[in-house]
Amino acid sequence: MVAILSLMVVMGFMMLGEWVSTRSRAYVPSVFITALLFLVGFWTIVPKNIVPAASFGTAFIQITQAVLLVHMGTLMDLKLLLKQWRAVVIALSGVVGTVVLTMGIGRLLFDWHTIVASVPPLTGGLVAAFLMTAGLKAQHITALVAFPVAMFVMHSMLGYPLTAWMLKRESRRLLQVRHVDVTVATADSATSATVQTTAQLPVCPLPTVPAKVKSVQPQLRHWQLPAAYDTSAFMLFKVAAVTGLAEWTAQLAHGTINQYIICLVFGVIAHQLGFLEDAVLEKAGVFHWLMYGLLAYIFANLNIVKISMLSGILIPIVTLIVLGVLGMWIASSLLARPLGFSREMAFASALTALFGFPADYIVTHEVTEIMESTAEEKQYLLDQMLPKMLVGGFATVSVASVIIASIFLKIL
């Protein structure tokens, strides 16, 4: 009974977040509302262990994130992914802008330890927050333990809505460009057809059409079984095989490349080879369950945040957030035009440092879903924006944040 009630509450928080996002047309992302509900719930009547009680424990997460990233690879084209080096450069420039502004101006306003404990979560979201928390506990600097997690909670309140707003502006721009291109292409086709019709063409007999045309059966892909055998279990087996190979490769690399980046790349390669289907976990029917579980596990970490923590450190946290986000905007804006990005897309890519995966995936999908466009146009928006958001998030949260948190722990 406890497990079922826990699951009901967790899914209820997710549901309310999605409803608010739909009602606000993604100006208020679902992840923001859900995080807020978990936070208030932990402050009031929700048990601290509600997420593992709902079946989303450590063992579940050890599988979920790697498998989901392999799935993300099946949503991308390899050539498209390789072109995203510009998104990496812009996202990392945003991190540099954050560090420079907070360490520069922030140092004039607050003491050294406060800045060092607070800045890494601004450059790597939850990953850096918990690296810093663990490091502060290890060094017995208990007075600052609340800063990293508080920073994560507070900057999410700004990061999620701001990212959604940037992506909505970018979506409108992309749709306008697409509509202009379609209009020009249609006009060119009409002109070409008119010229061809009015030209003097030699008269020649029309080719005859055979009475019976042999039907051509679609060929199965090399790795695909007939429909009767291509079951959900078979799809999950293939995903698990690719994930296992990716993690084994990451072990051989001894951490030189983040294991989750390798999972994404292996997912792309397996998809390009035809071994994995498009959106394989959605076809297997488990994608949303895994995604909700991962989100719940992330939000469960808010159970250590107390009201007393936030009230005592609110002013330095808010000030550093404003400085950090301003640094992201300045750095990304400077590189946007030289690298062929709009300012909105560049800023959104830099903002992925605040939360990373899976929030970057969810916010991008929510924005495309509420745009008044056709299914083809929504897919076009995803193809244009999602790779930039995912790769930017990996560059900051999975790589840069670990490096920055390690450096900051040494200079405490």
Side-chain angles (χ1 to χ4, degrees):
M1 186 67 178
V2 173
I4 294 299
L5 290 176
S6 299
L7 180 63
M8 182 185 72
V9 172
V10 169
M11 289 297 106
F13 287 170
M14 301 287 180
M15 172 194 72
L16 291 172
E18 292 176 345
W19 285 2
V20 172
S21 175
T22 301
R23 184 67 178 174
S24 68
R25 301 185 61 79
Y27 277 113
V28 183
S30 65
V31 283
F32 168 68
I33 296 298
T34 303
L36 199 59
L37 289 170
F38 270 102
L39 189 61
V40 174
F42 289 138
W43 286 347
T44 52
I45 61 173
V46 174
K48 304 291 187 183
N49 66 337
I50 190 171
V51 171
S55 78
F56 305 126
T58 305
F60 179 88
I61 298 304
Q62 287 176 345
I63 297 172
T64 301
Q65 188 155 357
V67 166
L68 280 171
L69 288 169
V70 170
H71 167 82
M72 296 304 156
T74 68
L75 304 177
M76 299 182 187
D77 181 82
L78 183 59
K79 293 180 180 178
L80 189 64
L81 186 63
L82 293 175
K83 292 178 180 178
Q84 300 311 320
W85 63 268
R86 296 177 181 85
V88 173
V89 173
I90 287 177
L92 293 179
S93 73
V95 171
V96 173
T98 295
V99 173
V100 169
L101 218 59
T102 51
M103 297 293 287
I105 299 177
R107 185 69 182 90
L108 302 176
L109 303 174
F110 308 107
D111 65 90
W112 174 254
H113 285 164
T114 297
I115 295 173
V116 173
S118 304
V119 169
L122 265 175
T123 65
L126 191 63
V127 175
F130 280 91
L131 284 174
M132 289 301 298
T133 300
L136 290 167
K137 289 180 179 178
Q139 296 187 33
H140 305 290
I141 309 177
T142 55
L144 298 177
V145 167
F147 274 80
V149 178
M151 174 63 78
F152 169 73
V153 174
M154 295 300 295
H155 77 51
S156 298
M157 296 181 182
L158 175 64
Y160 293 145
L162 186 57
T163 304
W165 185 44
M166 290 295 107
L167 290 178
K168 287 190 74 172
R169 290 172 59 89
E170 176 67 2
S171 295
R172 293 193 189 97
R173 187 191 69 82
L174 288 171
L175 288 176
Q176 288 176 355
V177 171
R178 179 179 171 83
H179 291 158
V180 170
D181 291 343
V182 170
T183 302
V184 172
T186 303
D188 290 344
S189 298
T191 303
S192 176
T194 303
V195 172
Q196 185 175 0
T197 302
T198 56
Q200 296 295 325
L201 298 175
V203 179
C204 60
L206 294 175
T208 59
V209 179
K212 294 183 179 179
V213 179
K214 185 178 179 180
S215 61
V216 179
Q217 297 294 331
Q219 297 294 318
L220 292 175
R221 289 182 303 167
H222 181 66
W223 301 101
Q224 185 179 356
L225 294 179
Y229 299 95
D230 196 15
T231 63
S232 295
F234 179 58
M235 295 179 194
L236 291 174
F237 168 78
K238 292 191 292 183
V239 171
V242 174
T243 306
L245 183 61
E247 294 198 339
W248 177 68
T249 304
Q251 290 178 358
L252 291 180
H254 300 291
T256 304
I257 303 175
N258 185 273
Q259 63 171 335
Y260 295 132
I261 296 176
I262 295 178
C263 286
L264 177 72
V265 172
F266 272 49
V268 173
I269 294 173
H271 176 246
Q272 294 294 303
L273 294 176
F275 184 67
L276 294 179
E277 296 87 343
D278 297 334
V280 60
L281 292 182
E282 292 184 34
K283 291 183 178 178
V286 299
F287 171 74
H288 290 96
W289 178 255
L290 295 175
M291 183 64 77
Y292 287 138
L294 178 58
L295 278 174
Y297 183 80
I298 291 173
F299 294 140
N301 291 300
L302 298 175
N303 63 10
I304 68 171
V305 179
K306 297 180 174 62
I307 297 178
S308 58
M309 286 184 183
L310 296 181
S311 60
I313 57 180
L314 191 60
I315 293 177
I317 290 294
V318 171
T319 304
L320 290 173
I321 288 173
V322 172
L323 289 174
V325 172
L326 181 61
M328 287 183 185
W329 180 77
I330 293 173
S332 61
S333 297
L334 291 175
L335 288 180
R337 179 169 292 182
L339 293 180
F341 276 45
S342 67
R343 287 187 176 181
E344 291 82 1
M345 191 69 247
F347 191 26
S349 297
L351 285 169
T352 57
L354 298 180
F355 39 80
F357 180 84
D360 49 8
Y361 174 87
I362 293 171
V363 172
T364 307
H365 266 267
E366 286 183 349
V367 169
T368 57
E369 282 299 319
I370 57 88
M371 299 302 294
E372 295 178 354
S373 54
T374 64
E376 183 181 351
E377 289 172 336
K378 289 177 181 178
Q379 187 59 50
Y380 167 75
L381 293 177
L382 282 177
D383 290 342
Q384 294 296 316
M385 298 190 301
L386 186 58
K388 297 179 178 69
M389 294 295 288
L390 288 177
V391 173
F394 292 136
T396 54
V397 175
S398 298
V399 181
S401 66
V402 177
I403 297 172
I404 290 173
S406 301
I407 294 173
F408 274 52
L409 283 171
K410 293 178 180 179
I411 61 176
L412 269 172

